[in-house]
C-alpha cells in the first residue's frame, strides 16, 4: 500500500517533536552530581540528537519544496469537488489491503531510542581529562630540529613552534608532516571534548588572525630578518665617548654594549664584537682620541 505524501510529511513533523522530547528527557534525567565522563557522554548524545534533527529538517524542506510536484497533485485530489471520491478510493484501497493481508498489524510510531555514542577517546585520554600525544612525542625526539626532552616537558612546549628558526622549518619535510599531524590531533581532540561547539568556527577565527599577522609580517617565528645596518639605523644616537678619561677596560662597562657599538660605527669600524668588546679595545692598545681612531706605537 503506497504512502501518501501528506501522511509522510506528518510523520516527519512527528519525528521532530519526538527528537525534542528525547533531548528534554535526557537533560532532565541527568544526575545532580554527574561525573566528568557522564557529562561528556551527555554532550555526545545531544550532538547525535542534533544531527538527527538537522537531517530530519532537511528531509522536511525537500518535501515542501516538492520538486517532483507530487505534493501539489495530491493536494489537488483531496480538495474541491473530488474530495469524497478520493476519500472513498483510499478507503477501498485500505480495506482491500487488509483483506488481502489479514494478519497485518497496525504499526504505531514509537519514541526515539537513546543513541549509543562512542566518544572515541583512548584510555590515556580518559574522556578528555588528558591528552595522548606519545606517538607525536616519539617523532619529536627523533627529529634533529628539536631539542631532546622528557614527555612532560614536551607537553609544555609542543606548541611553541615559533622558537624554531624558519630556515630549519622550511628545509625539513619531516617537520612539516609532524606539524600537520599535530594540528590534526589537537583539532580532533577539541571536537571530541566539545562536541556541541562549532570547531570550524574557531578555526575560521584563527585563520583570519593568522592571515592578518602574516600579511603584516608580524607572525612570531616568521618575521623578516633585519640586517645589521638597518638595526643600527634604528638605534639610539649616542654621543662620542672620551676614552682619555678611561684608565682601564672595566671603566667602559657602564656605557653598555649598544653605546660601545655606536662608537665603533662612528669611527668606521665593524660592530660585530663579543661581550668583551670593551676589554678588546684596551688589550689591543686601541683608544678613541678626539674623534679619531689611532693605535699607540
Amino acid at each position: 500500500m503506497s504512502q501518501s505524501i501528506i501522511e509522510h510529511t506528518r510523520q516527519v513533523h512527528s519525528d521532530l517533536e519526538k527528537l525534542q522530547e528525547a533531548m528534554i528527557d535526557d537533560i532532565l534525567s541527568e544526575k545532580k552530581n554527574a561525573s566528568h565522563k557522564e557529562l561528556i557522554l551527555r554532550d555526545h548524545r545531544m550532538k547525535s540528537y542534533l544531527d538527527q534533527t538537522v537531517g530530519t529538517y532537511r528531509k522536511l524542506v525537500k518535501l515542501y519544496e516538492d520538486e517532483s510536484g507530487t505534493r501539489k497533485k495530491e493536494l489537488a485530489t483531496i480538495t474541491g469537488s473530488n474530495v469524497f471520491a478520493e476519500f472513498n478510493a483510499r478507503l477501498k484501497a485500505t480495506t482491500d489491503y487488509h483483506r488481502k493481508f489479514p494478519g497485518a498489524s497496525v504499526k504505531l510510531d514509537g519514541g526515539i531510542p537513546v543513541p549509543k555514542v562512542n566518544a572515541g577517546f583512548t584510555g590515556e585520554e580518559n574522556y578528555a581529562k588528558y591528552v595522548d600525544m606519545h606517538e607525536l612525542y616519539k617523532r619529536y625526539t627523533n627529529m634533529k630540529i628539536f631539542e631532546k626532552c622528557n614527555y612532560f616537558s614536551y607537553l609544555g612546549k609542543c606548541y611553541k613552534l615559533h622558537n624554531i628558526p624558519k630556515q630549519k622549518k622550511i628545509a625539513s619535510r619531516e617537520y612539516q608532516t609532524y606539524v600537520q599531524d599535530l594540528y590534526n590531533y589537537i583539532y580532533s581532540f577539541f571536537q571530541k571534548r566539545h562536541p556541541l561547539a562549532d570547531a570550524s568556527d574557531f578555526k575560521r577565527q584563527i585563520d583570519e588572525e593568522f592571515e592578518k599577522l602574516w600579511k603584516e609580517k608580524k607572525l612570531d617565528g616568521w618575521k623578516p630578518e633585519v640586517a645589521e645596518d638597518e638595526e643600527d639605523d634604528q638605534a639610539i644616537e649616542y654621543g662620542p665617548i672620551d676614552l682619555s678619561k678611561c684608565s682601564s677596560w672595566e671603566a667602559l662597562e657602564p656605557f653598555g654594549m649598544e653605546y660601545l657599538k655606536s662608537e665603533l660605527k662612528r669611527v668606521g669600524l665593524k660592530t660585530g664584537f663579543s661581550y668583551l668588546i670593551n676589554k678588546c679595545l684596551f688589550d689591543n692598545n686601541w683608544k678613541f682620541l678626539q674623534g679619531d681612531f689611532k693605535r699607540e706605537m
Side-chain angles (χ1 to χ4, degrees):
M1 187 171 59
S2 61
Q3 187 181 40
S4 164
I5 190 71
I6 303 298
E7 176 60 21
H8 183 44
T9 305
R10 185 202 64 79
Q11 289 181 354
V12 175
H13 275 287
S14 177
D15 290 342
L16 285 173
E17 294 177 358
K18 291 174 183 177
L19 282 168
Q20 294 175 5
E21 292 175 357
M23 285 190 283
I24 294 172
D25 291 342
D26 196 320
I27 294 174
L28 292 177
S29 62
E30 181 182 304
K31 300 177 183 178
K32 291 184 178 180
N33 298 322
S35 65
H36 173 79
K37 176 182 176 181
E38 290 172 335
L39 293 175
I40 292 290
L41 292 177
R42 180 210 61 190
D43 288 347
H44 278 270
R45 288 196 303 272
M46 292 298 110
K47 179 67 165 57
S48 178
Y49 285 131
L50 289 173
D51 289 342
Q52 293 181 60
T53 301
V54 171
T56 305
Y57 269 114
R58 287 175 178 170
K59 186 188 301 182
L60 194 60
V61 168
K62 288 184 178 181
L63 289 173
Y64 280 112
E65 287 178 346
D66 193 25
E67 294 180 357
S68 63
T70 306
R71 176 182 174 82
K72 184 178 180 180
K73 292 178 182 178
E74 185 172 339
L75 286 172
T77 59
I78 62 174
T79 57
S81 58
N82 296 327
V83 60
F84 291 106
E86 179 65 21
F87 172 80
N88 291 327
R90 293 194 180 192
L91 177 61
K92 183 177 182 302
T94 303
T95 303
D96 292 343
Y97 176 83
H98 285 284
R99 185 179 293 114
K100 186 177 181 180
F101 303 99
S105 59
V106 178
K107 183 180 179 180
L108 300 176
D109 293 339
I112 301 296
V114 177
K116 296 180 179 180
V117 297
N118 179 16
F121 292 106
T122 65
E124 289 285 341
E125 289 172 336
N126 193 15
Y127 289 92
K129 281 188 174 182
Y130 313 101
V131 294
D132 184 6
M133 300 176 66
H134 289 86
E135 291 300 323
L136 291 168
Y137 167 68
K138 291 178 182 177
R139 292 166 58 183
Y140 179 95
T141 55
N142 289 328
M143 282 189 281
K144 295 180 179 179
I145 194 173
F146 297 118
E147 296 180 357
K148 304 295 182 182
C149 63
N150 59 42
Y151 180 65
F152 294 102
S153 298
Y154 165 73
L155 294 178
K157 63 180 182 180
C158 64
Y159 59 92
K160 299 178 180 179
L161 302 175
H162 58 276
N163 295 329
I164 309 299
K166 63 180 180 181
Q167 292 82 3
K168 293 183 178 180
K169 292 188 281 191
I170 295 173
S172 176
R173 175 60 65 89
E174 186 181 16
Y175 168 82
Q176 297 171 24
T177 305
Y178 162 79
V179 171
Q180 182 62 50
D181 292 340
L182 176 64
Y183 161 78
N184 291 337
Y185 174 79
I186 294 175
Y187 188 82
S188 173
F189 185 85
F190 179 86
Q191 287 181 310
K192 292 186 294 184
R193 175 60 183 87
H194 305 282
L196 297 178
D198 187 358
S200 61
D201 185 55
F202 285 99
K203 181 179 179 299
R204 178 184 57 78
Q205 296 178 24
I206 293 172
D207 287 342
E208 291 177 355
E209 182 180 357
F210 170 85
E211 292 297 338
K212 179 181 178 182
L213 292 174
W214 181 266
K215 186 177 181 180
E216 296 175 353
K217 297 181 179 181
K218 295 181 179 179
L219 189 67
D220 289 341
W222 293 93
K223 296 178 181 178
E225 296 181 356
V226 181
E228 184 178 347
D229 292 339
E230 294 180 6
E231 290 180 349
D232 292 338
D233 292 340
Q234 299 174 1
I236 300 173
E237 294 185 4
Y238 297 98
I241 299 176
D242 185 3
L243 289 181
S244 62
K245 297 181 180 180
C246 301
S247 58
S248 65
W249 66 268
E250 288 89 347
L252 294 175
E253 289 185 350
F255 289 100
M257 289 298 297
E258 294 300 325
Y259 204 154
L260 294 173
K261 288 170 66 177
S262 174
E263 183 69 7
L264 287 171
K265 182 185 176 184
R266 187 179 67 83
V267 297
L269 294 179
K270 293 183 178 180
T271 60
F273 281 74
S274 67
Y275 289 107
L276 298 178
I277 182 174
N278 48 358
K279 185 176 186 299
C280 291
L281 289 173
F282 278 84
D283 286 351
N284 291 286
N285 295 323
W286 294 96
K287 289 186 178 181
F288 292 101
L289 296 175
Q290 298 177 356
D292 296 326
F293 189 76
K294 298 180 181 179
R295 182 172 182 174
E296 292 183 348
M297 300 301 296

